[in-house]
Amino acid sequence: MGICGDHGPLDLHSSCIRSAWSAFLPAALVFTLCFFSIPVPRPARRLVAFLGTPFKPFLSLPEAEALNLQALGKDHGSDNEDTHVLLERPIPVSRWRTIVFVLVGTAQCLCWVAIASYCLYKGPSYVWGGIFSFLVAISWIYTVIRPIAHPTATPPYDLFVLYLILFATAVFQLGGVIFDRSVFGIPFPSSLAIVGLVGNLVSVFILLCVTVTMPMGYPSSSVNPKHIGHSISPEDYTTLWGWITFRWIDPLIRLGKHTTLHEKDVWNLSPTMQSRPIFAKFSSIHRSTLLRRIVAANSFDLIFDFVLTLASVIFNYAGPFFLKHILEAIERENSSKESRARAYVYAFLALVCSLLKAQADAQHLWLGRRASIWLRLEIMAAIYDKALKRKDFSGIVSKDQKEGGKSSSSNGTGKAQTKAQKKAEKDKAAKADDPKAGADVGKIVNLMAGDASRLARTVSTVHIIYAAPFEILIASTFLYQLLGLSAFAGFVVLLVAWPLNSFLMRRGVRIQKGLLSARDKRMGVLNELIGAIKFIKFFAWEERWIGRALDAREVEMKWMIKARVNSVVFNLLWSCAPVLVSIIAFFTYVMTGHQLTISTAFTAITLFNMVKSPLNVIPAWMVQILQTGVALKRISVYLEEDEVTEQVSSLKKSNPDRYHAGIEDEGLGLDNATFKWNEVTETGANAKGKRKDSPSTAATSSDDASTIAEDDSSDESANERGTRAFMLKDVSVVFPEGELTVVTGPTASGKTALLMAVLGEMTLVNGRIIMSKEPSRVDEHGLMHCISYAAQTPWLCHQSIKENILVLAGHHFAWQYGSFPF
């Protein structure tokens, strides 16, 4: 005999079973919370911290404001070295809320203890009723101790979840009494018991109302509370109810409904959505690959997006489940009063599940969109930051292009080719469009505009791939209960279509690589055309350059046509597959001698319509993920390119005050230095072994540089040795301070190369660069101790000549070094 006699745990007709569930659910939550509040032993703290890291938010509001303050301090030359200083944030704890929590919890605890004592006093048959009441009292004791031990001004989420469970159990208890009275004619309990059930429901509802009116955050000392909702976004300071219902955005929607929105009407972005703190936090995350960095930075949003997506799927498929039971209850000719009452209960539960699904969808979509925005900001800022620190590879002709020019002339001579040669050429063609180092301006623009956006779109819609397998599993289970093995007869269509699907996916990836490569080349041609438009007009080269641009566009269009044709065939295949699945399943069910009833037919049709979407999504998302992998690899290859040394780039100095130039580094010049133009280094047959050596080490150490040069020269072929690259050898020069230095010489004699070498933009083979840069040092004119360079291509603002010369220096202008190529 069990706790409640012969009644099972799901026999909700029994008041004992309802009481047991109402006691065990909140007590289990309380015991779980108490267990996780136990201090972790010292040996296990590191493991617990490691396991808990993915569940921590990527960027909190106090941290974002602190990072903004730290960056502003650096911009204004602040000497504050504390990187973890948080803004002063007064958080007043509301006493009246604490009093309400404690008083209501104490009253509830005393009432349940009294009920438990009365049940134990009445006799052995009421022992379990007393135990259930004691468990409920223990749950209410937690609601009393928690606000006193850890008072918070923001919503206590543990209490909020506990109140939700207590509210659900209160509705469950009172609804069970009403159902028993209306269906089975069981009389109501005593008036005191009814008052207790209603009072329990009302008191928990009041506590929930108090909890949801608590603000999610409080403004720091740098935020004027009067500006919240006017110029400052109320997103971070709204109440829990406003967060659940997204009510904080309502004023902006109402304003846009009645008038045209202007820039001043829209709030400033939350600090947690601004690029500076997001990139600062992302830069502090170090992982072996870019994918791991992205996952580590957005793990909180991705995990809860996954959990809420699964919850949404469960609530979504609860609709057909309750629909089947409703139809079964009303399709009978002589339906009883109990079956009609059950139909009403199922309809109410379906409504509750729809509301819960809407809330789960709203929250997981918001988390997914936030992760998408964060990822886009992280990647675009990382690309831009890399562009300021990477070596310049513009103008470099790739090795594949050189070999391609040679092979094109030699292929016409011999017609017969061996199988090995054909296979080698096929593999080479397949890898021709793989991402390579040495990006030009066009590729950088495409990385920021195209590849970063593709990654962001994938993250914002990744919940689809979360939900699709789970939806298919639930729908298949329900269909099996409805149609038996006939439900799986239609899935034979999927097995037949899989080989074609695999071929289309592989072809789609190849097309995507070719399209992105062609787009990079087209953007490179356009950037070159726009940059040299004056000279093109002078030399009347318009037709030739228009032809180059159209040729590049024609190649890109060919790849786009291939991609569109592949997409049309792919969509046609998987648009027809779900329809064929349902048709074959119904046909098999009828032909095996079964009869379709109303409840079976309508429920199965609903399930087939619901499973149609995930069946279409999975194949399309396989292609989407593969294309996203191509974009991720392109960005990763770009971010792994060689960088200039710390001496050259002030951005690479983690601590500007750490570097102090010695006496030998004072001034600007070269000391017995040899330079060559930057080269994209590749090792291995597939360029997998990208140079793992630190670029700073290779450039600062003359021994290492010479070793690398010898290794590179040893790998050269005999033909490559004949073609010697341009080099500046054994250059020693120091530019005098306070004087104008003029470098003269014929065309292509190396004047610009000398200036680029002094700036550190060429590869240092041996020797050293004399360069003293200290951005933290500011002279009496407000100028930093840095090096500026005016290139031959002018960068002019739409201002006066004087303002273009002074730029941001105001009326103070001082010469220190001057170098001009003629």
Side-chain angles (χ1 to χ4, degrees), residues 270-579:
S270 166
T272 59
M273 292 293 179
Q274 295 177 6
S275 178
R276 175 182 289 166
I278 290 175
F279 178 64
K281 185 65 179 292
F282 183 71
S283 300
S284 64
I285 299 175
H286 302 286
R287 297 292 188 273
S288 58
T289 62
L290 178 61
L291 178 60
R292 292 185 178 182
R293 287 183 67 192
I294 292 173
V295 172
N298 302 280
S299 58
F300 177 85
D301 288 347
L302 294 177
I303 289 174
F304 281 92
D305 183 22
F306 173 76
V307 172
L308 291 174
T309 299
L310 295 188
S312 173
V313 170
I314 293 174
F315 293 137
N316 187 32
Y317 278 86
F321 174 79
F322 291 124
L323 174 64
K324 181 177 183 300
H325 285 78
I326 291 172
L327 292 175
E328 287 179 347
I330 63 177
E331 72 177 353
R332 301 170 184 170
E333 296 181 358
N334 298 322
S335 58
S336 62
K337 189 176 182 180
E338 179 183 358
S339 62
R340 291 194 298 270
R342 285 177 179 273
Y344 284 113
V345 172
Y346 291 140
F348 174 75
L349 293 177
L351 173 63
V352 172
C353 289
S354 298
L355 295 176
L356 293 176
K357 178 187 180 302
Q359 183 57 222
D361 285 339
Q363 295 300 326
H364 88 74
L365 287 174
W366 188 88
L367 290 171
R369 298 306 188 272
R370 184 176 70 173
S372 171
I373 293 173
W374 279 355
L375 176 60
R376 191 166 185 267
L377 291 175
E378 293 160 0
I379 296 299
M380 292 187 69
I383 293 173
Y384 184 76
D385 179 72
K386 184 70 176 184
L388 298 177
K389 297 185 296 186
R390 64 190 284 268
K391 289 185 177 181
D392 184 18
F393 296 103
S394 59
I396 295 178
V397 179
S398 65
K399 186 177 179 182
D400 293 338
Q401 291 179 348
K402 293 179 181 179
E403 294 179 353
K406 297 177 181 179
S407 62
S408 61
S409 60
S410 61
N411 284 341
T413 58
K415 296 183 179 180
Q417 290 181 332
T418 63
K419 293 183 179 181
Q421 290 176 336
K422 291 181 179 180
K423 183 178 180 182
E425 289 183 0
K426 185 177 180 181
D427 293 340
K428 183 178 179 181
K431 298 175 182 178
D433 296 318
D434 284 348
K436 299 179 181 64
D440 55 6
V441 177
K443 184 174 181 178
I444 295 174
V445 172
N446 278 336
L447 290 177
M448 298 183 72
D451 297 274
S453 299
R454 178 175 289 276
L455 288 177
R457 286 196 303 269
T458 301
V459 170
S460 66
T461 54
V462 73
H463 63 275
I464 299 175
I465 200 64
Y466 291 158
F470 202 55
E471 286 188 65
I472 294 175
L473 178 62
I474 296 178
S476 300
T477 304
F478 283 172
L479 287 171
Y480 176 73
Q481 294 177 351
L482 288 172
L483 304 177
L485 293 176
S486 302
F488 301 106
F491 287 92
V492 177
V493 177
L494 305 181
L495 298 178
V496 174
W498 188 258
L500 180 58
N501 173 72
S502 178
F503 169 76
L504 292 175
M505 285 194 300
R506 290 197 303 270
R507 187 171 184 270
V509 173
R510 173 70 184 92
I511 291 173
Q512 180 70 11
K513 290 181 179 180
L515 176 60
L516 293 176
S517 178
R519 190 168 293 166
D520 291 341
K521 294 176 182 177
R522 192 255 304 173
M523 287 297 298
V525 171
L526 291 180
N527 283 317
E528 190 177 355
L529 187 151
I530 294 172
I533 188 68
K534 183 192 300 184
F535 301 100
I536 294 173
K537 296 288 291 183
F538 285 163
F539 291 99
W541 288 343
E542 295 93 335
E543 295 297 330
R544 183 180 300 177
W545 276 92
I546 290 174
R548 283 190 62 186
L550 292 178
D551 290 342
R553 179 59 176 169
E554 184 179 358
V555 174
E556 182 186 7
M557 287 295 296
K558 289 180 179 179
W559 284 109
M560 293 177 67
I561 292 172
K562 292 180 181 180
R564 183 59 62 187
V565 171
N566 194 78
S567 177
V568 168
V569 176
F570 191 85
N571 291 331
L572 177 63
L573 173 65
W574 290 104
S575 296
C576 298
V579 178

Side-chain angles (χ1 to χ4, degrees), residues 710-790:
E710 292 174 2
D711 293 340
D712 291 340
S713 62
S714 63
D715 292 336
E716 293 178 348
S717 63
N719 293 331
E720 291 173 342
R721 289 194 188 100
T723 306
R724 294 187 176 274
F726 174 84
M727 297 183 70
L728 293 176
K729 293 185 178 181
D730 304 329
V731 180
S732 296
V733 61
V734 176
F735 297 98
E737 184 175 353
E739 298 182 9
L740 179 64
T741 302
V742 179
V743 181
T744 63
T747 303
S749 61
K751 303 184 297 299
T752 302
L754 177 63
L755 299 183
M756 299 295 289
V758 173
L759 293 173
E761 294 294 338
M762 293 182 68
T763 301
L764 179 65
V765 179
N766 53 44
R768 68 186 185 95
I769 302 174
I770 302 173
M771 182 187 299
S772 175
K773 291 200 305 182
E774 198 65 41
S776 60
R777 288 170 52 188
V778 181
D779 62 12
E780 64 274 9
H781 301 294
L783 300 175
M784 294 187 299
H785 188 69
C786 293
I787 306 296
S788 61
Y789 173 66

Side-chain angles (χ1 to χ4, degrees), residues 13 35 38 75 87 126 324 395 425 442 472 661 689 739 761 790:
H13 295 295
F35 174 78
I38 298 174
D75 293 342
L87 296 173
Y126 294 91
K324 181 177 183 300
E425 289 183 0
I472 294 175
E739 298 182 9
E761 294 294 338

Side-chain angles (χ1 to χ4, degrees), residues 663-698:
I663 298 176
E664 68 278 2
D665 291 330
E666 288 294 338
L668 179 66
L670 304 172
D671 182 17
N672 195 25
T674 299
F675 295 91
K676 65 177 181 179
W677 289 112
N678 299 327
E679 297 177 355
V680 179
T681 57
E682 295 181 346
T683 58
N686 198 18
K688 290 184 179 179
K690 285 184 171 51
R691 188 175 303 278
K692 302 263 175 110
D693 303 329
S694 173
S696 60
T697 307

